[in-house]
Amino acid sequence: MGFSTQSMNVHSHTHSHTPARAAQEQIDLPIQGMSCASCASRIERALREAEGVSRASVNFATRKASIRFDPSKIDVAHLVDVVRDTGYETAPPRDGHAHHLAHGAPSDEHDHSAHLHPDASQRRWLLIRVITGIVLSTPVLILAMSHGRIALLGHPGDRWLQAVLSGVVLLFAGWPFLTSTWRGLKHFAANMDTLVALGAGAAYFASLAALFWPRLFVTGDAPAHEAPVYFEASAAIITLVLVGKYLEARATGRARAAIERLLSLQPRTARVEREGHEQEIPIDDVQVGDIVTVRPGERIAVDGEVVGGRSSVDESMLTGESVPIDKKEGDEVYAATISSGGSLRFRATRIGRDTALQQIVRQVEEAQGSKAPIARLADRVSGIFVPIVLFIALLTFAAWMLVGDPSTRLELALITSVSVLVVACPCALGLATPTAVMVGTGIAAERGVVIRSGEALETAHKVSAIIFDKTGTITEGSPALGDAAPAEGFDEDELLRLAAAAERDSEHPIGKAVVEGARERGLDIPRAQDFKSAAGRGVEARIDRRAVIVGSAAFLKERGVAVDTPAERSEHSGLTPVSVAVNGQFAGTITVADRVRPDSKDAVERLHAAGLLVVMMTGDHETPAQAVAREIGLDRVFAQVLPDQKADHVRRLQEEGHTVAMVGDGINDAPALAQADVGIAVGSGTDVAIETAGITLMKSGIRDVPWTLGLSRAAMRTIRQNLFWAFLYNVLAIPIAAGVLYSATGWLLSPIIASAAMAFSSVSVVLNSLRLRIVSIG
């Protein structure tokens, strides 16, 4: 599969775009206390301004800050301080980064990072607050809607009961909103929690004032008990917003489900050979070099190299490939895959966070934490949104107090300003892009496609031309036996048997292909004597007392053998001809070819159906390259391309106006992968290709390329839908909440309806993103 610590270690490495003198490291910090996208924007801005930070991205959906920094200028402790100075809480992850802290690092006993994630523990507390809010808000709403007709307490006793119950809702269920608002005010900042706290608090304390000083709120001879109170609005605002946050947390958890499923596949223990016998030990205690055993039906604990036994291994959880792969001595095995056909002994080569599984998880998590370029508009809007809403709410209150009827203006001013505060939540804007990126990258990971950034996911939908490397990408990457054409007096099996016997000791790929092809046909291959090899030209040997020569037509001619012309013509078909002579007589021709992968033609047809220009680039000669192009229907072929020329061909297509994707698997593809708008590495390729690409296909072959581009298009449709509805919601909701329709229609937006609408907007964005799991991607 080609993955290694080098290629997949995304958390601590030197980046090719950074000068050697400034080695960059990366860390993901969990953030607690964010309530909307404006919070993320404020933290992001503070981190970017810190000396030594080259990149900072704060994702509201994942509650993580991804930071790239120069450790010679700033350490993790100072990054934590920057976050805390903005009014939010964080702690460095325990695994692999606590050693960066010079001071202030939490010990294992006081590791706070666990409860900073939106995990099951947080959701339980959130659920407790939701239940408390529902239980206590329900009687408040009933009493408020009865308008004194419930004789259980009578006036003004029911109002005092509403005050007590809604006060508990505000102080207990709404405590996170209050504390978040207080932290923000200390740092001269406002967020969505500020809007909720001000809206619910204004409704509650204005109602409380009406209980104590009713004459301030009634005019003329109206009785004091008619002073308006809005305890039900205060309690309902808190409760409905909490319900929305809980549903949002549940839905966001479902968006992360793919990663959680991958992580759950890792065994907790391993069977290791120590001190002459097997011991079952915790997975964390396995060391590199340990001999690990796995029995049929068990999951492999760590990555390793087989040293004994044979088995079929189900690697579908890593690659998405459903067919088990046979493993024998010398083959690699990977953590969390299943040994389904036998027992294996293997030497542990990568453990812990270095296993292929953990590296894939880290890459997908980094992609989920990254931002697609389309998110920048929403970020800019969210960053200034809350102050604008506060200004609109104050303006609304002042306008109604100035122009409203004296008998109702305070009531109308209070209702409208509170509704504006509550309805204008920027959560939907903040969730629009990251939730779609989370779901999209998670779906891809389940299929065996690793998308390394939101930018790669977004750019892929614009691809108009795609370039494939030939060898190992469109083709199998290794020669395979084709046809055999025996000369008169020889039969096909005898021709193959003698050729394979002569090539049996050869190390040349073509010779190995002949031997393997003969074995697949069940032929008995005798031992050769007097074996001689002429490098790159052919071999000679004595088999069954006959002199056999196998090689190019030119090699046989050098040995005085007259080669039939059809053997030479086969070169024009894209096949490599191998000529055979026995006892100085031409015996026939065997063809060897780098076979086209079975799925390549179908992939090209699907790309054509999507309107893409499909190109192949290869170092091979024009004739075999054109033969492959004809077989699978390519639009263009760049043949005889030197490694340092591949990026130039990518650039040429870009200059024609194309957005270019490059698909390759070799070291010589790395410059072209970097030059392309989207680099796609085939997972069977080299570490350098995988490291350079923005997308990695864990399977060999190109069958998932059309699917990946289709996923990008579906994700972008979802993001645009999310942003459209989020913007439209706020554009329509704020004026209605401010009461612009009141004079014409008498309509006012109740704070209760406003809070329900706000909660629904956030949840609907997340649910729309989850639709990616069921839409047809292609």
Side-chain angles (χ1 to χ4, degrees):
M1 287 166 52
F3 284 91
S4 72
T5 306
Q6 172 195 351
S7 69
M8 295 291 290
N9 187 358
V10 297
H11 273 262
S12 183
H13 57 276
T14 302
H15 293 261
S16 59
H17 302 293
T18 306
R21 57 185 173 82
Q24 298 282 295
E25 293 187 0
Q26 184 163 308
I27 188 172
D28 290 341
L29 294 178
I31 308 294
Q32 184 185 38
M34 289 195 298
S35 59
C36 64
S38 62
C39 302
S41 297
R42 187 161 55 255
I43 300 168
E44 195 172 279
R45 190 163 53 248
L47 287 168
R48 285 176 176 172
E49 292 172 355
E51 184 182 4
V53 174
S54 60
R55 183 179 70 84
S57 176
V58 180
N59 191 311
F60 173 54
T62 60
R63 267 60 172 186
K64 281 185 179 181
S66 179
I67 309 160
R68 188 176 296 166
F69 63 100
D70 181 353
S72 67
K73 295 181 179 179
I74 191 170
D75 61 17
V76 179
H78 285 96
L79 294 173
V80 170
D81 290 341
V82 169
V83 175
R84 289 174 176 167
D85 287 344
T86 59
Y88 301 88
E89 189 55 55
T90 187
R94 186 185 308 179
D95 57 335
H97 292 287
H99 65 276
H100 290 297
L101 291 173
H103 62 277
S107 66
D108 286 347
E109 293 81 8
H110 299 90
D111 184 6
H112 301 290
S113 63
H115 74 269
L116 296 181
H117 295 279
D119 56 11
S121 175
Q122 275 194 312
R123 286 202 297 270
R124 278 197 299 273
W125 265 109
L126 186 54
L127 181 60
I128 289 171
R129 296 184 191 279
V130 167
I131 293 172
T132 302
I134 292 173
V135 169
L136 298 183
S137 297
T138 301
V140 175
L141 286 167
I142 292 171
L143 289 171
M145 289 186 293
S146 73
H147 300 290
R149 288 190 291 272
I150 296 179
L152 182 65
L153 293 172
H155 285 298
D158 64 333
R159 294 185 166 204
W160 286 105
L161 180 59
Q162 290 178 52
V164 171
L165 295 178
S166 57
V168 175
V169 173
L170 180 66
L171 292 175
F172 175 72
W175 185 251
F177 301 115
L178 303 178
T179 55
S180 174
T181 300
W182 174 243
R183 283 198 307 269
L185 291 175
K186 287 195 298 182
H187 294 86
F188 303 101
N191 56 30
M192 180 275 233
D193 288 346
T194 308
L195 302 182
V196 174
L198 287 177
Y204 181 80
F205 289 107
S207 301
L208 206 58
L211 275 185
F212 283 103
W213 303 287
R215 284 295 165 191
L216 295 176
F217 297 86
V218 295
T219 57
D221 298 328
H225 68 264
E226 289 186 5
V229 294
Y230 302 100
F231 292 117
E232 79 284 1
S234 173
I237 288 169
I238 296 292
T239 301
L240 288 170
V241 173
L242 285 173
V243 168
K245 278 184 169 288
Y246 179 73
L247 294 174
E248 176 191 311
R250 286 285 300 270
T252 306
R254 285 167 58 196
R256 285 181 50 86
I259 299 303
E260 292 171 357
R261 278 195 293 272
L262 281 177
L263 287 171
S264 69
L265 297 175
Q266 182 99 35
R268 296 183 180 275
T269 61
R271 195 177 295 105
V272 177
E273 296 179 8
R274 288 184 180 171
E275 299 175 2
H277 62 278
E278 289 184 359
Q279 301 178 18
E280 191 159 330
I281 62 174
I283 192 74
D284 293 339
D285 293 342
V286 178
Q287 302 295 318
V288 172
D290 278 343
I291 301 300
V292 184
T293 61
V294 60
R295 295 169 183 164
E298 292 182 341
R299 290 193 182 274
I300 292 168
V302 295
D303 292 4
E305 181 181 339
V306 176
V307 296
R310 292 181 72 97
S311 179
S312 295
V313 176
D314 179 358
E315 295 184 346
S316 58
M317 49 69 56
L318 269 185
T319 66
E321 184 62 69
S322 59
V323 179
I325 299 172
D326 291 334
K327 299 290 183 178
K328 59 184 183 304
E329 188 171 342
D331 289 342
E332 283 189 282
V333 291
Y334 302 95
T337 58
I338 302 172
S339 175
S340 56
S343 297
L344 290 173
R345 295 172 67 247
F346 64 91
R347 180 180 293 104
T349 56
R350 291 193 294 269
I351 60 175
R353 66 199 309 268
D354 292 328
T355 63
L357 173 68
Q358 291 289 345
Q359 292 171 49
I360 290 168
V361 167
R362 271 203 309 281
Q363 278 203 352
V364 175
E365 285 185 330
E366 185 177 68
Q368 293 183 339
S370 68
K371 289 188 176 179
I374 198 173
R376 291 170 190 155
L377 173 62
D379 285 350
R380 285 196 296 269
V381 172
S382 298
I384 60 172
F385 196 78
V386 173
I388 290 174
V389 170
L390 290 172
F391 175 75
I392 293 173
L394 285 173
L395 192 64
T396 300
F397 186 89
W400 280 104
M401 290 299 292
L402 286 173
V403 303
D405 185 286
S407 63
T408 59
R409 62 187 178 188
L410 179 59
E411 180 179 1
L412 292 175
L414 187 63
I415 290 174
T416 54
S417 58
V418 168
S419 294
V420 167
L421 287 171
V422 174
V423 81
C425 167
C427 284
L429 281 176
L431 292 168
T433 300
T435 52
V437 171
M438 285 173 66
V439 175
T441 51
I443 294 169
E446 288 181 321
R447 190 179 172 101
V449 177
V450 180
I451 301 173
R452 297 182 63 176
S453 69
E455 184 173 1
L457 180 65
E458 176 177 338
T459 307
H461 94 282
K462 297 185 288 187
V463 167
S464 59
I466 187 161
I467 303 176
F468 290 101
D469 175 56
K470 181 175 85 75
T471 306
T473 304
I474 287 177
T475 64
E476 298 282 1
S478 57
L481 182 64
D483 297 326
E488 189 175 348
F490 294 88
D491 66 34
E492 186 174 322
D493 285 351
E494 182 66 7
L495 178 67
L496 281 174
R497 192 178 78 87
L498 293 174
E503 295 279 15
R504 184 169 180 166
D505 295 322
S506 172
E507 292 298 318
H508 196 280
I510 290 178
K512 290 182 176 180
V514 173
V515 174
E516 187 63 31
R519 284 178 175 154
E520 288 176 358
R521 300 189 185 196
L523 301 179
D524 177 43
I525 304 174
R527 278 285 177 188
Q529 296 176 323
D530 301 330
F531 174 81
K532 295 177 185 177
S533 175
R537 296 157 65 208
V539 298
E540 300 175 77
R542 185 165 292 279
I543 301 154
D544 297 337
R545 300 180 181 179
R546 288 183 284 182
V548 178
I549 306 172
V550 182
S552 65
F555 182 59
L556 268 65
K557 287 177 180 178
E558 288 177 12
R559 297 296 187 267
V561 178
V563 178
D564 198 2
T565 52
E568 294 175 323
R569 284 202 302 269
S570 65
E571 294 177 2
H572 298 287
S573 67
L575 305 174
T576 300
V578 178
S579 299
V580 183
V582 178
N583 290 335
Q585 179 186 355
F586 178 68
T589 301
I590 300 168
T591 57
V592 174
D594 184 5
R595 285 185 297 200
V596 171
R597 293 183 184 275
D599 56 1
S600 292
K601 185 174 183 180
D602 175 65
V604 170
E605 288 174 351
R606 289 162 60 197
L607 292 168
H608 278 149
L612 272 66
L613 175 74
V614 187
V615 181
M616 185 178 74
M617 185 159 55
T618 178
D620 283 357
H621 290 284
E622 186 77 25
T623 300
Q626 290 292 350
V628 172
R630 285 193 298 272
E631 183 176 348
I632 64 175
L634 297 171
D635 298 311
R636 292 192 203 173
V637 174
F638 300 141
Q640 294 178 271
V641 179
L642 298 176
D644 59 354
Q645 297 173 335
K646 289 190 173 184
D648 294 335
H649 284 284
V650 174
R651 196 176 296 111
R652 186 187 307 170
L653 282 176
Q654 290 171 328
E655 289 169 355
E656 291 178 15
H658 288 290
T659 300
V660 180
M662 171 70 196
V663 185
D665 73 332
I667 291 174
N668 58 8
D669 296 322
L673 289 168
Q675 173 64 36
D677 298 283
V678 181
I680 303 176
V682 178
S684 59
T686 64
D687 293 341
V688 176
I690 292 167
E691 179 68 14
T692 308
I695 299 172
T696 300
L697 310 179
M698 301 293 290
K699 304 172 190 172
S700 298
I702 62 172
R703 78 192 81 169
D704 281 332
V705 171
W707 182 89
T708 303
L709 300 182
L711 172 67
S712 173
R713 289 190 291 271
M716 289 309 300
R717 280 197 304 272
T718 300
I719 289 172
R720 291 193 185 101
Q721 290 166 1
N722 288 347
L723 288 173
F724 173 78
W725 289 112
F727 276 116
L728 183 66
Y729 163 79
N730 282 294
V731 166
L732 295 179
I734 292 176
I736 293 173
V740 296
L741 300 179
Y742 181 71
S743 59
T745 65
W747 293 352
L748 276 182
L749 189 65
S750 160
I752 297 174
I753 302 301
S755 57
M758 183 269 284
F760 175 76
S761 70
S762 298
V763 175
S764 64
V765 162
V766 180
L767 293 178
N768 190 46
S769 296
L770 287 170
R771 284 178 56 249
L772 271 173
R773 291 192 164 275
I774 58 175
V775 298
S776 176
I777 293 171

